[in-house]
Amino acid sequence: MKEDFNVGSSLGADLEARFLAAAQRGRTAWLTGDIAEAEHHFLESWEMIPMPKSSYDYSQSASRGIAVFYRDTAQFEKAEEWLKVARAIYGQGEASEEYMDELAATIQFESGNLDAAYTLFEPQYRKYGRRVFEGHKKEFIAFIKSRKKTR
């Protein structure tokens, strides 16, 4: 598979340190259950990335990470919006599209839209097998297997 993720410019040492500190404050707040504080810090870190954001390191991981945060905190509309941001940052190409489809599938699954989740997961499962679910909840592989049996 051709690797086509964008490679960005460095934020510079000072900005990178501030960016990482804000993101870490977000993760810490999330782990302690302070979702509003976590959101504040994640968005703060995002705003630190200069325009055009797609030109800089961390824009891919930050946009994807914010979408995951919203997914995992059941803020699905925001997760969908950040999925759009992440898709734009990752750009076109097979690897980018598959990576973003995997994220979209997890958002659909977690939001209860199982038909949409299956539509996104199934081609990846057919192509890559269980590997597509590595690092994810075991419910994803159980879901795809049970759906495949009924189709």
Side-chain angles (χ1 to χ4, degrees), residues 120-138:
L120 291 161
F121 271 143
E122 196 280 331
Q124 292 187 358
Y125 179 72
R126 189 174 352 104
K127 188 171 183 177
Y128 300 110
R130 296 178 62 92
R131 284 186 317 175
V132 75
F133 299 102
E134 289 176 3
H136 287 296
K137 294 179 178 179
K138 292 180 182 177

Side-chain angles (χ1 to χ4, degrees), residues 15-138:
L15 181 55
E16 180 178 13
R18 289 185 290 125
F19 168 84
L20 292 173
Q24 182 59 50
R25 287 190 301 273
R27 283 188 292 278
T28 300
W30 186 5
L31 290 172
T32 62
D34 191 341
I35 302 306
E37 186 72 10
E39 179 179 33
H40 168 77
H41 290 300
F42 289 143
L43 295 178
E44 172 189 34
S45 68
W46 175 256
E47 289 304 316
M48 289 180 189
I49 301 172
M51 296 300 281
K53 292 187 185 307
S54 61
S55 298
Y56 288 89
D57 288 344
Y58 296 109
S59 62
Q60 290 178 339
S61 60
S63 60
R64 185 183 188 287
I66 293 170
V68 167
F69 164 74
Y70 285 129
R71 177 198 68 199
D72 289 356
T73 57
Q75 299 179 70
F76 301 117
E77 287 181 23
K78 289 179 180 181
E80 288 286 343
E81 290 303 312
W82 278 92
L83 172 64
K84 290 176 190 173
V85 172
R87 278 192 191 277
I89 296 292
Y90 274 85
Q92 301 295 314
E94 183 180 358
S96 295
E97 289 169 16
E98 287 182 354
Y99 193 56
M100 291 296 100
D101 283 352
E102 173 268 328
L103 176 58
T106 65
I107 292 168
Q108 295 301 319
F109 181 88
E110 294 295 343
S111 69
N113 192 348
L114 300 182
D115 289 338
Y118 180 81
T119 298
L120 291 161
F121 271 143
E122 196 280 331
Q124 292 187 358
Y125 179 72
R126 189 174 352 104
K127 188 171 183 177
Y128 300 110
R130 296 178 62 92
R131 284 186 317 175
V132 75
F133 299 102
E134 289 176 3
H136 287 296
K137 294 179 178 179
K138 292 180 182 177

